[in-house]
Amino acid sequence: LIDGGVDLLLVETQFDLLGLKAAVNACRRAMEAAGESIPIQAQVTIELTGRMLPGTEIGAAIGAIEPLGVDVIGINCATGPAEMFEHVQQLTSTSSLPVAVIPNAGLPHVVDGEMAYGLTPRQLAEHHEEFVSRLGVTVIGGCCGTTPEHIAAVVEKCAGLTPSPRNPQPIPGAASLYSHVPFAQDTSFLIIGERPNANGSRAFREAMLAEDWDACVAIGTNQVRESAHLVDLCVDYVGRDGVADMDAIASRFATQVAAPIVLDSTEPEVMEAGLEWIGGRAVLNSANLEDGDGPGSRADRVFSLAREYGAAVICLLIDETGQARDVEWKLRVAHRLYEMATTRYGLRPGDLLFDPLTFPLSTGDDNLRGDGIATIEAIRRIKTELPGVFTVLGVSNCSFGLKPAARQVLNSVFLAEAVKAGLDAAIVHAGKIMPLSRIPDDQRVVCSDLVWNRRGGEDGTYDPLTTLLDVFSDVSGPTAEVEDRSGWSITERLSRRIVDAEREGLIGDLDSALEEFTPLQVVNEILLAGMSVVGERFASGDMQLPFVLQSAETMKAAVAYLEPKMERKDQGGKGTIVLSTVKGDVHDIGKKLV
């Protein structure tokens, strides 16, 4: 095509993002071989379901395609212009690229055994006039069912139009094959599930070594169930072929795990093995300056992969002299990586997530006691000095070496302090993070003192690390405050179960409540009272979205048990809207009930 003199390479009617990305990269390689630079226009096909054939929403398509650096993004085929309107509106409002709209001449239908399309030339032209004048579309045309008469009408109607000015607001984020996940979360920090990691999870490592790929996938999907927005995938393990392992697991994660994937490896070729399977938008973990910024360096190779595959990048604050410890050192490295990524490789600020590094606070080394403070202050400085970028931490390293119960509490407290400073994302085991309101005061205070290195006290001998070891010396299990509820009424017990997301014993308490109340009364007067408390804590900042979702899961289980016991007359009562809400997706439940 290039040798033949084409003016544009059109990648169109794409129903699978992975196929589209492969085609775009093929165009780029052909241009490089020919020594030419030709514009690329990339178009997806949205079905009547409102999604592409694999189930991809338009937001995921935008999130995956725009970072590829194509020149025009658009939609064509499958439907007529009327059915495209909502998707075109999203394209023009969130993509900074010129937008193309190439619809069919209406929806296809069969007349006398032949395919027919019902839109007249005038009607098609009127739709395009609206796309141009109202939404700012700049590339228009016709796909299936359109004729020379259709195109002539479009030209006559639209040739003299001035496209409406656009003010698109791109939404930085990652995408799975199915949906887009913004890095900036309205109601939570961005949760990156850490368990699919051969170095950090024995269960995942054993499954990988046994090549039990289904078990590996199950660990990934469980992270999503525990409210992870993204899933961190690391297959690095001594003696293993990382490329082969990544190929086997990423090919399954790409379609079977609903969340976007963070490809975590010290080897860029292992990252690339994962990128070749991911149709959405991945995040690469990570780039750093350990071996400098020259050709062939790790940073060069990772940023090059990000540009080629349209990925985002986690940037670790490490340079040629080591891991950045103090605040000024961290910021020097951050500025170098930012300048390198944006000027040399054309990445945008929103493509970058900076990790100011988490060091253990549990070693007892006086030289390390201020590391938590340095990390938190670096988060504040990065958000101020590098506008548009995001911050991320691997939280659990702060508690390395402590007992599991102590680790859970210290991780939760450190994370809460980092989020207050502006942290956007955290690599954590979401199911092991606790809301501060459920941590006993003595544990919460000593962990906060350790994070902020508060020592001395009135007699000058207080050491939060020593005290923390004492506090947790006889704590071996869950550390949440356990209250004596023996004198509580059944309404108080059930409401608190919703607040604390306690499933164990839920059915017994529901049966007890049914001895005094109707099923609908239990929902409206008891369970929703618990969700009201959840809403108040959420609004005040004392409870974050992951814990809201856990409460919503408990609410959903309770309603599922009660609904079959309701009388028919109850189904049309004021509890109907609650029931229909609670039966839906858990993320929606949390938001709607709050």
Side-chain angles (χ1 to χ4, degrees), residues 121-368:
R122 180 181 61 81
Q123 290 170 324
L124 178 64
E126 289 172 349
H127 280 289
H128 274 313
E129 180 184 30
E130 184 175 20
F131 286 139
V132 175
S133 300
R134 180 175 169 186
L135 300 182
V137 171
T138 49
V139 181
I140 54 177
C143 199
C144 300
T146 58
T147 65
E149 289 75 20
H150 283 86
I151 303 305
V154 169
V155 171
E156 181 180 0
K157 188 80 169 177
C158 302
L161 296 177
T162 299
S164 173
R166 291 170 52 205
N167 182 30
Q169 302 295 318
I171 306 173
S176 68
L177 183 60
Y178 309 107
S179 59
H180 180 260
V181 176
F183 290 146
Q185 290 289 311
D186 292 335
T187 53
S188 171
F189 61 92
L190 183 77
I191 302 168
I192 304 175
E194 69 178 1
R195 301 311 293 163
N197 187 316
N199 293 297
S201 166
R202 178 189 297 178
F204 185 81
R205 179 172 63 251
E206 290 178 351
M208 186 184 78
L209 295 178
E211 299 188 356
D212 185 346
W213 310 129
D214 289 341
C216 291
V217 169
I219 292 172
T221 56
N222 283 337
Q223 292 290 275
V224 179
R225 290 193 188 98
E226 291 183 351
S227 304
H229 300 105
L230 276 63
V231 174
D232 188 77
L233 173 59
C234 178
V235 301
D236 290 358
Y237 193 69
V238 176
R240 293 284 296 185
D241 183 342
V243 170
D245 285 335
M246 180 61 81
D247 184 82
I249 299 176
S251 63
R252 292 166 170 83
F253 269 48
T255 57
Q256 297 179 47
V257 176
I261 308 301
V262 177
L263 297 172
D264 187 348
S265 178
T266 59
E267 303 298 330
E269 58 267 26
V270 174
M271 294 182 186
E272 186 163 23
L275 287 168
E276 290 178 347
W277 282 107
I278 294 175
R281 189 190 197 204
V283 180
L284 302 181
N285 187 9
S286 58
N288 65 63
L289 298 172
E290 185 175 13
D291 56 353
D293 59 5
S297 65
R298 176 181 174 82
D300 168 63
R301 296 168 68 192
V302 174
F303 287 143
S304 295
L305 286 175
R307 179 175 58 190
E308 180 179 1
Y309 290 89
V313 183
I314 291 175
C315 301
L316 295 186
L317 301 190
I318 301 171
D319 65 9
E320 298 87 341
T321 57
Q323 298 179 337
R325 300 290 298 278
D326 63 68
V327 177
E328 296 303 326
W329 185 2
K330 291 176 189 290
L331 268 294
R332 285 196 303 272
V333 180
H335 278 275
R336 282 182 64 190
L337 283 163
Y338 176 89
E339 190 69 18
M340 180 182 181
T342 56
T343 61
R344 195 184 307 176
Y345 298 88
L347 302 184
R348 302 163 299 182
D351 299 331
L352 307 175
L353 299 94
F354 285 87
D355 185 340
L357 304 179
T358 310
F359 294 98
L361 300 175
S362 50
T363 64
D365 186 337
D366 280 351
N367 294 324
L368 309 181

Side-chain angles (χ1 to χ4, degrees), residues 304-546:
S304 295
L305 286 175
R307 179 175 58 190
E308 180 179 1
Y309 290 89
V313 183
I314 291 175
C315 301
L316 295 186
L317 301 190
I318 301 171
D319 65 9
E320 298 87 341
T321 57
Q323 298 179 337
R325 300 290 298 278
D326 63 68
V327 177
E328 296 303 326
W329 185 2
K330 291 176 189 290
L331 268 294
R332 285 196 303 272
V333 180
H335 278 275
R336 282 182 64 190
L337 283 163
Y338 176 89
E339 190 69 18
M340 180 182 181
T342 56
T343 61
R344 195 184 307 176
Y345 298 88
L347 302 184
R348 302 163 299 182
D351 299 331
L352 307 175
L353 299 94
F354 285 87
D355 185 340
L357 304 179
T358 310
F359 294 98
L361 300 175
S362 50
T363 64
D365 186 337
D366 280 351
N367 294 324
L368 309 181
R369 292 293 189 101
D371 282 357
I373 299 173
T375 295
I376 292 171
E377 180 59 26
I379 292 169
R380 290 195 181 98
R381 292 270 303 272
I382 289 169
K383 297 293 289 183
T384 299
E385 297 179 23
L386 300 175
V389 306
F390 298 90
T391 53
V392 62
L393 284 178
V395 171
S396 60
N397 200 40
C398 75
S399 61
F400 184 77
L402 296 176
K403 295 173 59 175
R407 295 199 71 179
Q408 185 175 9
V409 174
L410 181 56
N411 290 347
S412 301
V413 171
F414 183 69
L415 174 60
E417 297 293 344
V419 169
K420 288 179 186 176
L423 183 72
D424 298 295
I427 303 173
V428 295
H429 185 181
K432 297 295 185 181
I433 296 297
M434 302 173 64
L436 298 185
S437 61
R438 293 181 61 188
I439 298 175
D441 288 344
D442 59 337
Q443 298 177 8
R444 178 177 48 78
V445 169
V446 73
C447 286
S448 177
D449 288 345
L450 182 60
V451 170
W452 292 105
N453 195 24
R454 300 187 186 107
R455 289 190 281 177
E458 293 182 1
D459 58 2
T461 62
Y462 174 65
D463 182 344
L465 179 58
T466 302
T467 304
L468 181 146
L469 296 175
D470 290 340
V471 167
F472 285 94
S473 61
D474 58 352
V475 178
S476 58
T479 57
E481 193 82 68
V482 177
E483 298 171 282
D484 180 8
R485 301 179 184 178
S486 57
W488 289 22
S489 68
I490 188 60
T491 60
E492 292 172 323
R493 293 205 308 271
L494 268 179
S495 292
R496 181 57 66 87
R497 284 197 183 279
I498 298 299
V499 175
D500 292 342
E502 294 177 356
R503 299 281 288 276
E504 186 175 349
L506 175 65
I507 301 303
D509 277 354
L510 289 172
D511 285 337
S512 297
L514 291 175
E515 295 175 4
E516 303 178 40
F517 304 95
T518 68
L520 196 59
Q521 286 176 321
V522 174
V523 173
N524 285 341
E525 300 173 17
I526 302 177
L527 301 181
L528 282 182
M531 283 307 300
S532 178
V533 175
V534 172
E536 291 165 2
R537 292 186 178 180
F538 178 71
S540 68
D542 290 336
M543 182 179 285
Q544 294 176 324
L545 182 61

